[in-house]
Amino acid sequence: MSKTKSHNIIDRKPLSAHTNTFSAILPPPNITGSLHLGHALTATVQDVIARWSQMNGLNVVWVPGTDHAGIATQVVVEKKLFAEKKITRQEIGRQAFNQEVMKWKDEKMSIIKKQLENLGVTLDWHREFFTMDKKQSKAVFEAVIRLFDDQLLYRKKSLVNWCCSLQSTVSDIEISHREIVGRTYIKVPGSRHPIEFGVLTDIAYKLNNSDKEIVVSTTRPETVLGDVALAVHPNDKRYQGLDGATVWNPFRKCTIPIIYDKSVDMNFGTGAVKLTPAHDLFDYELANKHNLPIINVINESGDITSEYKEFTGLPRFEARMAVIEQLKHMNLFRGSYEHKMLIPLCSRTGDVIEYLPKLQWFINCKDMAQKASAALQNGDLKIEPEHYHNQWLLWLDNSRDWCVSRQLWWGHRLPLFETKYGWIAAHNKEEAIKKLEIKMKLSRDEIQNLKITQEEDVLDTWFSSALLPFSSFGWPDETEDLKKFYPLSVMETGHDILTFWVARMVMLGTYFTGTLPFKNVILHGMIRDAHGRKMSKSVGNVVEPDDVIKGISLEDLREKIQDSAKSGLISIGELEKALLGQKKLFPDGIKECGTDALRLTLVSHNIKNQVIHFDVNECYRNRMFCNKIWQASRFVLMWAAEKNVVEYDSPKPITPAEKWILSRLANVVSKANISLETYNIYIASTEFKKFFYNDFCDIFLEVCKPVFQQGSELEIQTTCQILLHILDTSFRLMSPIMPFLTQTLYQVLPGKSELHLELTDYPKSSEYIKWSNEQLEFDMKIVKDIISVIRRVRSLNQFSKDQSEIILVSKHHELLQQFKNIIQILSGVNSLYLTTESPNLTSQSIMDSAGDHSEIHLLIKGGSLEYRKYYNLLTLRQKRIEKQVANIKKSLSSEYHIDYNTNNITETKEDKLHSLTKEIERIKMYIKTAKERDPSIGDKNVQ
C-alpha cells in the first residue's frame, strides 16, 4: 500500500475550449506555518470533486497557491525575530525585515507544498501562485488603480479597529470577542499587570449652574476625557424636560449638551450614556448624526494624548485608575459593580482593540454589495448550506465601505502617490508623473520640481485574495486561460470566511469582469477535536495531517510544541497547558494511518455541518478498513489467478446471492454519483463502507468460499468474474477518496497493469441499473435479519455450532428454502430445520424472533446439566454488563462530558450504553424463558 509520487501527478487530457471544463482554485493557505486539518479537509474535498470530474470526462484545472497573509505573517516573523535574536522590526528596518519574511515565506511554501503532495492532491502545480508574486501583484495594482480612477477608492478619517501592539488597523475577522460575566483580570500586551474588566463605573455629571446631576454607567472611565455629550432616550421619564440643557465636563472644563436619541438603551445602567465618539462605534455614529465633535484622547500606542497634561503619556488602562481616583477626589464617583461584557481582542496579538479615528483608504462597496445580494436572491448564485443565506444578505445589505489600508510593512504597498495636486494612482512613480502631467498639463519645469511620495500603507490581504478567481488565470490580460476557465465551476471553502472572502470575490469579480466568479458556493464546517474544542497549539490538540499519515510519538509532539514556544508563538504558560493537553489526548502518540485513511476520515462527515469532529481513533479504524479492502482483494486475486480469469466486464450471475450482490453494487454506484454531484461526499463514503464491509466481505465472500472448495468449474469461473467485476467497480468508485490504495490494487487486476485510475471512467448508474433488483434486496434483508438473530443468540449464550441446532419457523418458508445454504454458512450452524409451524420443544431450548416474520429456536445439546450451565453463564453475563452500564452512566454525567456533550466520544458512549441496555433486556428475556421452562433452576445455581 505504499504511495509513489506518480500517483499525485496526472497527465490531464488535452485542454480545449470546445469541451466541458471543471475549474477551481484551492483557497490559498497562509504562509504563517504548516497546514492543519482544516486545510487538509478543504484540499481533500476539492481533490475528490476534481478527480470525480476528471473521471467523468471533464477537463480539470485546479489551481494551487499560497497567501502572503499580511498581518498574521508579520506577527509570527516579529515574534520569531525577538525570541531568537532579541531584535524588533523597527531596529532592523523595513527592507531587512521584509527580507526576513521572504526567507520565512520560502521555507513555509516548501513545507506546504510537500504536505499537499502527501495528501495525494492532483493540483496543477505549474499554475502555482503566491499572492505577492509578479503576476498577482500586477493584478492587484491594476485593480486598485481602476477603483481609484473610477472614484470608488477614496481616503477619509473614520473609526477603525486599531491594534496598538501591531500599530495597524485590522479587519473584523481578525477580532475575537471574549465574553466575561463579571470582574475578570486579563493580561494585556504591554501592561505590567493584569487589567480589570467586567466592571461598570458610575460617574456623576453636574447639570450646568445646578446642584442636580445625571449619573452615567461606563466600562471605560478613562474615555471621560473625550466626552462630547450625554445621550438619553426621549421616552425615558427620568430625563424629561432637559431640552437644551448642558452638563459640566470636569476634565475638558467645558459644558457638553444632553441629546435625545431613540437608539439609547433605557435599561442599560442608569439609562444615560456618555458619548466618546473617537473611541466607540455607537458613539461615533451618534456624533455624526447630531453633528458633535470627535475628540481623540488615546493615541496609536494606547497612551493618553498630550491635551491632558495630568494624564499625558499614561497607558490607557493605567489612566483608567488615575481617572477614577480623580473622580473620587472631585466627589463625582458613584460606585462600581460587576457587569457582563464582550471584549474585542486582536486574534494575532491578544491586545484589546482600540477604536480610533484614522485617515484610511476605503472602497465604496454599495453598488457591488447590492449586486452580490441580488445574485443570490435571483438564483444566479447558489450557496450551500442554505442556512447561510441570511448571513450573506444581512452582511451585504448592511455593508459598510471597506477599509483596505493597513499600517504594515509586509504586503502590497498601495500604488497611490501624493503630490501637491492631490493623489494619483499608478503602477510606479514614473507612470504617476506621466498621468499627472497629462491630467494637470504640467510644464517640464513643474515636473522636474514635483515632489511625489508613495503611500506607506499596504493593502488588506483580503483584497488580493478576492481577485484570485480571475487573477490566477492572467487577468488583467485577456488570456486564453481566462476565457476557458473563468468563471470557476465551484468555490468550496470554510463557512467562517463567507463574508470576508467569498462575498468580496463576488463583488470584485462582478465589478472587474462583469461576470460572477462562480455560481456555486459550498461551505464546510470547522474542524474540532473529538471533544468539540477548537484546535489550538495552546490547548495541545493541534493535529497536523502528516502526523496522522506517518504517525508520531508523544515525544515528537512535545518537541513541536516546545519549538513553538522557543519561536515566541505561544507563551510559557500556554506551553505547560499544551503539554498536559497533549499527554491526555495522545498518551501513546498518534499511530500511522496513511493518506487514504486520513482522506476517508475527513470526508466521512457531513462537511456542510457547522462543526466537524475529528478523532484520530476514527482515522485508525479507517486504516483497518483499508486493510480489509487489501486482504479481501488478495483473496479474490489469488483465486482469479489460479483459475486464469481475465474477462469480467460482463459477468452472468446464476445464484440469488450473485444477483443480490450485483444489485447492491448498482445501488451504491447510484448513491455515490448522486452524493458526489451534490457535494455530499460522506454519503458516498458511508454507503461504500457499508457495502464493502457488510455486503461484500461479511456476506458474499463468505458465501463464495464453499464455491471455491466444492463448486463446479463453471460456478467458480462465474464467481471469480463477479468478484473481479465488483473490485474493478469498487476501486473506481473510491478512487477519488482513496487514490493510493485503489490505484495500487487496480493495477493488479487482470488486464489493468498499464492503466491509471484517474484516467478511467467513473462508474455510471446507467451502466449498472440492469443489475438492480429491489425484490431480491428485500428478500435478502429478511435473510440477513434472521442471520443476525441467530448470531446474536449464539453469541449471547456462547454456544459453538457443535453445541446446538436451529429450528427456523417462518411465514417466508419458500423464500428461506432458496437461501438455506447461505443462512447456514453465515450463521455458523451445522443443523438448520425450516418449518412453518412452531414445534413442541423440550425445556432445553432458547427462542428469539426476527421481526414479526420468523422465530428462531436454538436447541441445546447436553440435557438439563448443560441448560443449567447456560443459565448460570447468562446471569453472570447480565451482572457484568450491568457494571459496564453503571460506569458509562457515571462517565456521561461527569463534568467533563457536560462541558463537551456534543462530541464524538460522548455520542459513542451513548451508543454503547443503548446497545448494552438492549443486550440486558435480551438476556433477561432468555433468563425468564429458561425459568419458565425449567423452574428448578434459580439464583442458587449461580457460581
Side-chain angles (χ1 to χ4, degrees), residues 153-157 359-362 418 423 455 457:
L153 178 66
Y154 65 95
R155 195 169 185 245
K156 73 171 182 179
K157 180 173 278 192
L359 270 173
Q360 300 283 294
W361 290 96
F362 290 83
E418 187 177 23
W423 289 90
E455 171 63 85
D457 289 357

Side-chain angles (χ1 to χ4, degrees), residues 314-332:
L314 276 180
R316 51 192 164 152
F317 298 121
E318 289 185 24
R320 174 179 298 178
M321 302 312 299
V323 166
I324 289 175
E325 287 302 315
Q326 189 68 9
L327 286 168
K328 290 178 179 178
H329 180 71
M330 297 174 175
N331 196 29
L332 297 175

Side-chain angles (χ1 to χ4, degrees), residues 709-820:
Q709 293 166 1
Q710 53 198 7
S712 67
E713 190 64 27
L714 176 61
E715 289 173 333
I716 294 174
Q717 285 281 329
T718 301
T719 299
C720 281
Q721 288 173 356
I722 291 171
L723 288 169
L724 288 172
H725 184 71
I726 292 170
L727 289 185
D728 181 305
T729 305
S730 296
F731 298 154
R732 288 185 289 130
L733 271 178
M734 290 302 285
S735 172
I737 297 174
M738 304 163 64
F740 293 120
L741 176 63
T742 53
Q743 174 62 29
T744 300
L745 290 173
Y746 186 75
Q747 290 186 321
V748 186
L749 291 176
K752 308 294 185 182
S753 61
E754 301 300 321
L755 294 180
H756 203 295
L757 257 178
E758 285 83 354
L759 301 180
T760 63
D761 293 331
Y762 197 79
K764 294 179 174 60
S765 302
S766 58
E767 298 170 356
Y768 288 81
I769 196 169
K770 62 185 177 182
W771 304 120
S772 185
N773 189 327
E774 290 186 13
Q775 183 59 50
L776 183 57
E777 291 200 35
F778 178 79
D779 293 344
M780 192 61 182
K781 186 180 183 303
I782 294 172
V783 173
K784 289 194 293 181
D785 288 345
I786 291 169
I787 292 168
S788 295
V789 173
I790 295 174
R791 285 177 170 177
R792 183 176 67 206
V793 171
R794 291 186 55 240
S795 172
L796 277 174
N797 299 290
Q798 298 180 347
F799 284 115
S800 69
K801 60 184 179 181
D802 295 328
Q803 286 180 292
S804 56
E805 59 184 86
I806 297 290
I807 297 176
L808 178 54
V809 184
S810 178
K811 60 183 180 182
H812 299 293
H813 182 265
E814 291 184 10
L815 167 67
L816 298 180
Q817 284 286 2
Q818 300 176 48
F819 290 94
K820 181 179 179 181

Side-chain angles (χ1 to χ4, degrees), residues 393-400:
L393 297 174
L394 184 66
W395 192 80
L396 288 167
D397 294 344
N398 296 280
S399 180
R400 300 179 180 180

Side-chain angles (χ1 to χ4, degrees), residues 376-392:
L376 179 68
Q377 295 182 73
N378 63 29
D380 290 340
L381 180 68
K382 293 180 172 58
I383 299 175
E384 293 184 60
E386 291 185 358
H387 59 252
Y388 289 109
H389 288 191
N390 286 340
Q391 180 185 345
W392 178 269

